[in-house]
Amino acid sequence: MFKTTVGPGSSRAGYLRPETAQGIFMDFNWISRYFRGRMPFGVVQIGKAYRNEISPRQALLRLREFHQMEAEVFFDPQNKTWPRYDRLRDKNLKLLTREAQLLAPTEQNPIRMTMGDAVANGIIANEALGYFVALTAEFLETAGLPENVLRFRQHGLQEKAHYATDTWDAEFLSTRFDWVEIVGIADRTDFDLRAHERVSGQKLRQMRFFKEPQAVEVDRFIPVRAQLGPRFKDKAAAIGDAISKMDVPDSIPRDLEVEIDGRVFSVPKDCVRVERRMERKEGDWYVPHVIEPSFGVDRIIYALLECNAEFPGPEIEMVSMASGQKMQVVGPEPVKIRLPQSVAPIKAGVFPLMNRDGLDMFAKEVDARLRAAGITTYYDDAGAIGRRYARMDEIGTPWCVTVDYDSLEKKDVTVRERDTTKQERVAIDRLVDRFHDKS
Ligand code: AMP
């Protein structure tokens, strides 16, 4: 989809993938074996995707090279349920249906209902799709997007890919760019697997087993060796074997196409005959359907930053009531990003109050302890404590730990919380537990 050239000064063409998903379909048979043929199963992938956007713009929203997290979840088309459906059945959703989008813009209101009701009323096509819509809502809210800036918009009949039965986009309301799609969740049916089957000649199927194997009548091609031998010489045996494994179509064409070692042979009808046999059948083969939640990582990160950043207020001048003289300029408040601790890249800033008298050694020990417990820290001994807090607030670090002179004696530290700026003393032996409790 995105053509480029490989290597400097080269004219060799290369093509970049527009989504991460296709490799999963190509590996379908390996993956199916890994899951021992049991349905449903899912595969996730994170990686780069490329699109030849005519005008990349709007910060992280329209890039030519971006990151996707995609899942392909495979189902038997006769059973689009999900084992843990009940966990999310009562999740509240805001749904902008395709019917609502036909109304005048001011009338286009989303409906609020639980995922279970949306599925029961046929608004979302099936249980499995409903589950992944609700899971997406839960994920985005946990990552730090408030519920009031999120909605799910159903694709209209024109917009929906021709193969998809139902598609919902998670959208977030940007203060700068209005509603922006951040995740697409589509029931892609069997479109991708069938397309890969067609081009590769490989069967990408799954068996729906009968309770008991059945005896069934089937038609089979029987190679007529006397015809094949003179025509195809040393290839005759291989062609005969390949033909006997082929399915017999309802109407047999004049020539059958057989591929041997990458070469395609046309085999005339009179080289085969059809015989009806009784065979033992274990089940029916089918092409699985797939539900694809496709997450745009860069857009989600943009949304998290926009929704959680507090920007500096204006400078406020304080004027003395008595003298009318300017007293002080307050602010501006520094930037603060209120990321939930689960997505904050750094969990704790660690500061020695002074860079001497053993405070630094002690603070480094505290830092090492937190890191050993898997808590990502940032050690900072430069400048006034207020500035160090501000630096951490600005990148969304939820906690700061300060080591002072009392710490040396009492073996405790001050923990300051970003959002409340509340401070409390915590014994260093309890510090790791305290962070784990809070997360
Ligand atoms: P799509 O396959 O077009 O539904 O894209 C899947 C997801 O990738 C979208 O929900 C977006 O979050 C993201 N995405 C698509 N195009 C871009 C782009 N040009 N820049 C950044 N993210 C994108």
Side-chain angles (χ1 to χ4, degrees):
M1 194 182 236
F2 193 164
K3 188 175 177 186
T4 182
T5 52
V6 181
S10 140
S11 58
R12 195 147 62 94
Y15 296 86
L16 297 169
R17 61 183 180 181
E19 55 177 13
T20 60
Q22 295 305 324
I24 297 175
F25 297 119
M26 287 164 64
D27 286 347
F28 178 79
N29 282 335
W30 288 343
I31 298 163
S32 160
R33 255 170 47 206
Y34 172 86
F35 285 102
R36 307 203 339 264
R38 286 174 303 182
M39 296 296 249
F41 61 75
V43 186
V44 294
Q45 174 149 303
I46 179 164
K48 287 198 171 168
Y50 303 82
R51 304 227 176 143
N52 208 355
E53 299 286 358
I54 309 290
S55 63
R57 65 203 150 90
Q58 299 172 327
L60 294 176
L61 300 187
R62 196 164 300 285
L63 300 164
R64 286 191 170 136
E65 175 179 336
F66 58 100
H67 299 84
Q68 282 189 326
M69 305 192 292
E70 290 188 300
E72 303 301 329
V73 191
F74 296 98
F75 292 87
D76 179 340
Q78 291 183 1
N79 184 13
K80 287 197 177 166
T81 60
W82 185 253
R84 278 181 291 163
Y85 179 73
D86 283 342
R87 188 178 79 76
L88 291 177
R89 178 197 287 272
D90 295 330
K91 176 93 191 122
N92 280 308
L93 298 173
K94 240 176 1 191
L95 302 170
L96 187 65
T97 60
R98 71 170 73 95
E99 289 75 25
Q101 294 167 64
L102 299 175
L103 303 173
T106 50
E107 313 266 297
Q108 293 189 6
N109 295 319
I111 45 175
R112 285 168 188 277
M113 58 165 61
T114 64
M115 181 271 279
D117 285 347
V119 172
N121 291 312
I123 294 170
I124 299 180
N126 56 61
E127 283 193 10
L129 187 63
Y131 179 84
F132 285 99
V133 169
L135 190 67
T136 300
E138 186 187 60
F139 171 83
L140 294 172
E141 287 165 22
T142 312
L145 285 186
E147 187 265 340
N148 62 331
V149 300
L150 263 182
R151 75 175 183 191
F152 287 86
R153 190 181 67 80
Q154 188 173 34
H155 279 208
L157 294 174
Q158 303 297 319
E159 170 187 21
K160 182 169 72 107
H162 59 280
Y163 49 82
T165 49
D166 196 13
T167 301
W168 292 83
D169 285 344
E171 296 185 327
F172 106 97
L173 182 58
S174 162
T175 52
R176 300 169 65 197
F177 305 115
D178 206 37
W179 288 100
V180 176
E181 175 201 341
I182 50 178
V183 183
I185 308 147
D187 182 340
R188 295 172 66 99
T189 70
D190 56 7
F191 173 82
D192 302 272
L193 286 180
R194 279 197 192 277
H196 282 282
E197 271 199 346
R198 211 168 35 247
V199 177
S200 70
Q202 293 277 314
K203 291 258 179 280
L204 301 172
R205 294 186 182 205
Q206 196 78 22
M207 181 164 283
R208 189 182 303 119
F209 287 95
F210 301 139
K211 280 205 179 75
E212 297 285 334
Q214 294 173 2
V216 287
E217 277 190 334
V218 282
D219 288 340
R220 288 283 169 219
F221 284 127
I222 309 293
V224 180
R225 308 266 174 201
Q227 296 282 354
L228 282 171
R231 266 207 181 88
F232 297 104
K233 311 264 176 342
D234 60 326
K235 295 280 184 240
I239 290 174
D241 285 349
I243 285 180
S244 53
K245 288 187 190 125
M246 282 166 67
D247 290 335
V248 178
D250 290 341
S251 81
I252 300 168
R254 213 164 49 107
D255 294 301
L256 299 168
E257 300 230 310
V258 182
E259 193 184 317
I260 307 287
D261 300 333
R263 252 182 85 193
V264 178
F265 295 88
S266 274
V267 181
K269 223 172 169 173
D270 59 356
C271 294
V272 294
R273 62 188 174 77
V274 175
E275 197 176 278
R276 183 154 290 186
R277 293 177 173 179
M278 289 305 281
E279 282 186 5
R280 190 180 134 97
K281 200 174 165 197
E282 311 255 3
D284 285 326
W285 290 102
Y286 65 90
V287 181
H289 279 203
V290 72
I291 288 181
E292 179 189 85
S294 175
F295 287 64
V297 182
D298 309 77
R299 287 192 185 177
I300 293 171
I301 288 179
Y302 174 82
L304 289 179
L305 292 175
E306 197 195 278
C307 292
N308 290 287
E310 252 169 42
F311 291 99
E315 288 189 358
I316 305 165
E317 256 179 32
M318 310 233 338
V319 180
S320 161
M321 298 271 278
S323 64
Q325 286 212 327
K326 233 194 269 175
M327 283 165 48
Q328 181 189 7
V329 177
V330 184
E333 284 284 307
V335 177
K336 185 181 274 194
I337 300 184
R338 293 177 191 270
L339 289 176
Q341 63 77 30
S342 56
V343 294
I346 294 166
K347 311 298 179 201
V350 180
F351 317 143
L353 185 67
M354 296 290 175
N355 212 0
R356 56 171 189 259
D357 304 331
L359 296 186
D360 46 348
M361 291 308 294
F362 195 97
K364 280 180 182 153
E365 227 174 84
V366 171
D367 186 61
R369 253 194 212 212
L370 293 176
R371 283 178 170 259
I375 296 163
T376 320
T377 61
Y378 187 89
Y379 185 85
D380 190 358
D381 57 10
I385 282 288
R387 290 196 68 87
R388 291 186 240 170
Y389 284 150
R391 279 200 282 268
M392 289 295 108
D393 288 349
E394 206 176 31
I395 57 166
T397 305
W399 299 297
C400 291
V401 175
T402 306
V403 168
D404 58 18
Y405 285 98
D406 280 350
S407 305
L408 299 181
E409 243 172 66
K410 297 188 185 150
K411 305 283 180 242
D412 62 6
V413 291
T414 300
V415 174
R416 177 234 192 216
E417 231 172 63
R418 176 196 63 205
D419 296 347
T420 58
T421 69
K422 246 180 51 198
Q423 304 198 358
E424 58 169 319
R425 293 299 281 195
V426 178
I428 57 161
D429 287 339
R430 281 218 52 249
L431 196 57
V432 166
D433 283 346
R434 188 194 167 284
F435 285 151
H436 283 318
D437 290 350
K438 292 265 175 183
S439 57

